[in-house]
Amino acid sequence: MTHSFTTRGFLLLPLVLLCITHVHSATQPPVVEAPGVPRAGKKIALEPLEITWPEGALGRQVRSDFRRLFTRPFQLRGREWFLPAELAAGAVAAYAVRDEVREEIQEDQSGSRSDFLQDVRILGKGGFVPALAVGLAIIGSARDSPREKQTALLLIESFAGSAVYAAIGSTVLAAERPQDGDSVTFMDTDGHGVSLDTALAASLIAPLERAYFRPRPGESGVRKFWRRSGRGLLYFLPGLVALQRLDQDKHWLPDVYLGYVTGLLVGRTLVAGYEKGRVEVEVSAAGIRMRF
């Protein structure tokens, strides 16, 4: 078997790019111009957020975040409805070519590629994102760094939300694994219509992008280059997890497409909620203050 990809083997890339573009635009908070506020499109410095871990206040913040996450799909207005329509169109397109893509990838399969992708799959394992969040929380506490603390919280929320939405999606679209069959049924608890591994890997994109890979005003060209490179890698790695699921014949193309979209959209929805303004929470003297 050869190790090369033909044009059909790259059909996953434009589909992922489509979902990235429209998920980004649809989950950004609306811009309201006011005196003294820069126009949309102009880079502005992000105000650092002060966060520590209070008893009680953290629970309220998490409940608020998850309330937003699970009610947002029912609050779409006007042009926001283009997003689910476009994502559905992408899924239909992926379904139309799923047999060709599966055949192409399986024919090009090689041991070295499979081994490499298996190593990358750690991003989609159940313990990776929580372990990363714990590490950032420890660093944030040791350095009293609000950025790491908030990123840790967003990672855990994005991870959990992506897992829930992936489970719901796999129940609604209960696809068989390619090695077992090609049927797709509705409302079956034994389905695999949304790749959980891909969703969990993609769940880390938005929190890490917001914290570390956005442009900063006044930065040198070198710093901007590394931020942009890191951002590209951040989007690329979950795509490799998606490819690993295809390579191992565990999912169809629509499954990994929907998994990527799920993780990315969940993360962006949570991040958008944090960017609409500060929320201040205070607890008793025995606790610690937390400010968003």
Side-chain angles (χ1 to χ4, degrees), residues 1-21:
M1 294 186 183
T2 63
H3 188 59
S4 60
F5 286 99
T6 64
T7 303
R8 289 181 298 171
F10 283 105
L11 284 172
L12 179 63
L13 180 59
L15 291 172
V16 169
L17 291 177
L18 172 68
C19 81
I20 290 172
T21 301

Side-chain angles (χ1 to χ4, degrees), residues 181-195:
D182 59 2
S183 67
V184 179
T185 58
F186 292 94
M187 303 307 296
D188 188 342
T189 57
D190 193 29
H192 306 279
V194 178
S195 171

Side-chain angles (χ1 to χ4, degrees), residues 16 19-20 23 123-125 128-129 154-155 158-159 162 195-209 234-242 256-268:
V16 169
C19 81
I20 290 172
V23 166
L123 296 174
K125 295 284 189 176
F128 182 83
V129 175
L154 282 169
L155 280 172
S158 183
F159 172 86
S162 297
S195 171
L196 177 61
D197 292 68
T198 308
L200 296 183
S203 72
L204 57 78
I205 295 176
L208 294 182
E209 178 186 28
L234 191 62
Y235 280 88
F236 180 67
L237 289 175
L240 290 181
V241 175
V256 298
Y257 168 79
L258 291 173
Y260 196 110
V261 167
T262 296
L264 182 60
L265 184 56
V266 165
R268 286 204 175 278

Side-chain angles (χ1 to χ4, degrees), residues 44-271:
I44 58 176
L46 293 177
E47 185 177 0
L49 303 179
E50 299 178 15
I51 301 176
T52 48
W53 301 109
E55 182 179 355
L58 178 59
R60 288 193 294 272
Q61 182 63 43
V62 171
R63 285 194 297 272
S64 175
D65 292 342
F66 277 107
R67 188 181 302 114
R68 170 184 169 78
L69 180 61
F70 291 108
T71 59
R72 186 70 179 92
F74 304 101
Q75 299 172 344
L76 298 179
R77 299 290 184 272
R79 296 183 63 183
E80 291 179 333
W81 281 105
F82 282 110
L83 175 64
E86 289 166 341
L87 296 181
V92 171
Y95 182 86
V97 298
R98 66 172 190 164
D99 290 318
E100 289 83 355
V101 171
R102 181 197 179 201
E103 179 182 354
E104 187 73 26
I105 290 178
Q106 294 304 309
E107 286 180 354
D108 288 339
Q109 195 177 51
S110 69
S112 59
R113 187 183 77 186
S114 297
D115 291 342
F116 169 72
L117 293 175
Q118 185 64 37
D119 292 337
V120 177
R121 190 195 167 198
I122 190 175
L123 296 174
K125 295 284 189 176
F128 182 83
V129 175
L132 179 60
V134 170
L136 286 173
I138 293 173
I139 294 173
S141 297
R143 299 172 53 187
D144 193 22
S145 171
R147 180 174 62 178
E148 276 67 40
K149 293 175 184 178
Q150 188 178 62
T151 303
L153 177 60
L154 282 169
L155 280 172
I156 288 293
E157 292 177 334
S158 183
F159 172 86
S162 297
V164 171
Y165 270 114
I168 294 172
S170 289
T171 299
V172 176
L173 294 175
E176 287 187 300
R177 294 194 185 278
Q179 57 194 16
D180 298 328
D182 59 2
S183 67
V184 179
T185 58
F186 292 94
M187 303 307 296
D188 188 342
T189 57
D190 193 29
H192 306 279
V194 178
S195 171
L196 177 61
D197 292 68
T198 308
L200 296 183
S203 72
L204 57 78
I205 295 176
L208 294 182
E209 178 186 28
R210 177 181 185 272
Y212 303 108
F213 299 109
R214 285 186 174 178
R216 302 289 194 269
E219 282 187 331
S220 67
V222 174
R223 281 185 174 270
K224 289 181 179 179
F225 170 78
W226 285 115
R227 284 192 192 277
R228 289 168 180 166
S229 299
R231 189 180 189 184
L233 186 63
L234 191 62
Y235 280 88
F236 180 67
L237 289 175
L240 290 181
V241 175
L243 182 58
Q244 192 274 341
R245 306 314 288 153
L246 298 175
D247 182 78
Q248 293 299 303
D249 211 23
K250 298 297 184 181
H251 281 287
W252 297 95
L253 179 61
D255 305 343
V256 298
Y257 168 79
L258 291 173
Y260 196 110
V261 167
T262 296
L264 182 60
L265 184 56
V266 165
R268 286 204 175 278
T269 301
L270 289 166
V271 165

